Amino acid sequence: MDRLLLQWVALMISITTLCQACHPADFKGLTSFKSAISQDTSGRLAKWVGRNCCGWDGISCHNATGRVKEINLPGFISTGDIPFQSEMMGYLSSSITLLDAVEIIDLGGLIGLGGTIPKFIGLRLRNLRKLYLYGNKLRGPLPDSIGKLMKLEELAVHDNRLSGSLPASLGSLMSLHSLHLDGNRFLGSIPDSITNLKKLVRMDLHSNSFVGRIPERIGELQMLNELDLSNNFLSGKVPISLTKLTALSVLYLDNNNLEGPLLFPPALAFLRLNGNRLSGTIPPSFGELVSLKRASLSNNKLEGTLPSSLGRLSALSELYLDHNRFSGELPESFGQLSQLILLDLSHNFIKGPLPELSSLQNIQTIDLSFNRLSLTAIPQWLAKLASLSKMGLAGCGIHGEIPEFLRRTPSPIQELDLSLNYLTGKIPEWIGSLTALYSLKLSQNSLVYEIPDSITKLQDLRVLDLHSNKLTGNIRQIFKIEHGFPDDSLTYIDLSDNNFSGEFDQVDVGQQPAIQFLNLSHNNLKGRLPISIGGLKSIRSLDLSSNNLGFDLPEAMVNANQLETLKLQRNHFTGKIPKGFLKLRKLKELDLSNNLLVGEIPAGKPLSDFPRSAYMGNRGLCGKPLNPCKL
Ligand SMILES: *[C@@H]1O[C@H](CO)[C@@H](O)[C@H](O)[C@H]1NC(C)=O
Ligand SMILES: *[C@@H]1O[C@H](CO)[C@@H](O)[C@H](O)[C@H]1NC(C)=O
Ligand SMILES: *[C@@H]1O[C@H](CO)[C@@H](O)[C@H](O)[C@H]1NC(C)=O
């Protein structure tokens, strides 16, 4: 009797669950998907039990048909109180294509999801509208069948390891309005068929290895609002049809090999063409881009005078024109760019005199370095600009002492570059009052005397470049413990080619563990390398060449194992090269020549890989790459 009752109950339960069970194809597709995932840090898949897949986390079904309509399992979960980045390890099962009624698949940003995009995805998932697989570890090609997804509106597979060339069938996705293929390893040319995607609003193919030309008929994408083809190997001229993209507001073609004249559509707000080989002048019509907010034309071969129509770009906040061949004088109309925050004109052939641009009350960064400005003095109006905090005036022909008005600028100076001028006199004591300074470059001038002690008051200083002056005194103050720089501060120090002196062993370099670049070459330093040199845990480049340093090289040096460049030539180092140098695995450049080193060069990489010249001119070194040691 009991047994019969139990059987009844069991039967009733299975009938109930059967009624709630989802479609067998959906069930199979989802359980296969789950079984290919070895770990899910969100815990969502662990809750996929029973047969009612419509109730599972991240799954929703059509009310009428009971078929799975959406898979929403993005890695970044923003629902609860605290947003949370989860991860799935494993691979994307091709059984996902069994869910043939699915409209949305969001498996974006799961980080560890590998595998490939199922080959037959387009033949099976005919209802798919949104496919998000970005931010994973997917490999292999974008399958040809993708072109059959006639309802697909959004395709986001960016930031994976996808490869191969794009299928021409992409051009059949008539409903597509957003295409994100960026950050993969795609190659070959961009198929011309892509210009059939008449509904396309966003197209992002940046950071791949595309070659060839931009499709000539790109101008047919009349809905296009954002186009990013940057960081590829595209070449040839920018197609003229591009100027017909009247809805385009974002155009990023930077870092390719594009050539020919500058072309631009009329509604641009954000433009990046830097890092190409564009030539010719900026036409006056550029001034008609009334919506333009940010523009970079850096690193091209553009030339001629800057048109005064540029002053009409009333929305412009950032303008990069550096590393071109612009010449002539800067038009006075630049003073009308009242929204301008950043202006980089460095590395051109712009002549003086400079118009007074004191009306640029929003400008924070101005770089006029390396032109033909022959300023003779820092223009006083620069120091009156209410928001200016970063000034680049290297190679501007400035004479005289560092002017005191820099001490009282309306906005605290954060970056000051006066390298390669004709500055004379001392580094002023008041430099210590520029407490917001994080980059100070005064190299290649004729500055004399000691670095003022007040410099250690610059607690935010990251970059200090004073090379090639006539500075003297002990460098100890840079590394002193009490009242010195905070230990997480300086990352870049170049004091080379001066006349600094002192015993190097008394310098506690280990006090500055954040240093990545240190150049003290061509000075007058004596003594031995301190043990604390091993405390430079972040250092990548160390140059102490052409000093009077001596004694044995400390074994502790092996602890500076991030070193890529080590230059100790032209000193008086003695003894053997420590065996520990073999542990400097990242070393790419080494020079120990012209010292008094002896004995066998420790055998093995990386030491054996350097040219003989790295070891020449010592007292008695032998072994690879030099001649074998005599027994
Ligand atoms: C499906 O059903 C749920 C609850 O029964 C309801 O809230 C929802 O609006 C329905 N959706 C559609 C598309 O009918
Ligand atoms: C260090 O400075 C000297 C002289 O200024 C320069 O020639 C050398 O290239 C610099 N070393 C490194 C590693 O940059
Ligand atoms: C370098 O400094 C020393 C004093 O430390 C001085 O005697 C010497 O003349 C200076 N050399 C040059 C080239 O300025």
Side-chain angles (χ1 to χ4, degrees), residues 61-64 69:
C61 295
H62 279 278
N63 285 353
K69 186 179 167 199

Side-chain angles (χ1 to χ4, degrees), residues 204-253:
D204 192 344
L205 308 186
H206 84 256
S207 303
N208 280 289
S209 296
F210 291 115
V211 295
R213 287 160 181 267
I214 299 174
E216 214 57 51
R217 292 183 298 128
I218 189 102
E220 290 175 22
L221 299 176
Q222 280 297 305
M223 306 287 279
L224 206 58
N225 181 259
E226 291 181 31
L227 176 62
D228 189 347
L229 305 178
S230 63
N231 293 299
N232 280 291
F233 302 100
L234 298 169
S235 57
K237 288 186 182 168
V238 179
I240 293 178
S241 74
L242 193 94
T243 59
K244 287 194 271 175
L245 294 173
T246 49
L248 199 66
S249 82
V250 179
L251 176 61
Y252 296 155
L253 301 178

Side-chain angles (χ1 to χ4, degrees), residues 428-441:
E429 187 71 34
W430 55 256
I431 202 93
S433 65
L434 304 182
T435 50
L437 210 55
Y438 68 76
S439 173
L440 177 63
K441 298 182 179 177

Side-chain angles (χ1 to χ4, degrees), residues 35 61 87 171 184 191 194 203 326 344 346 448 487 556 560 598:
S35 62
C61 295
E87 234 176 289
N184 280 292
I194 217 154
M203 169 147 95
F326 294 119
D344 192 346
S346 64
V448 293
D487 62 8
V598 295

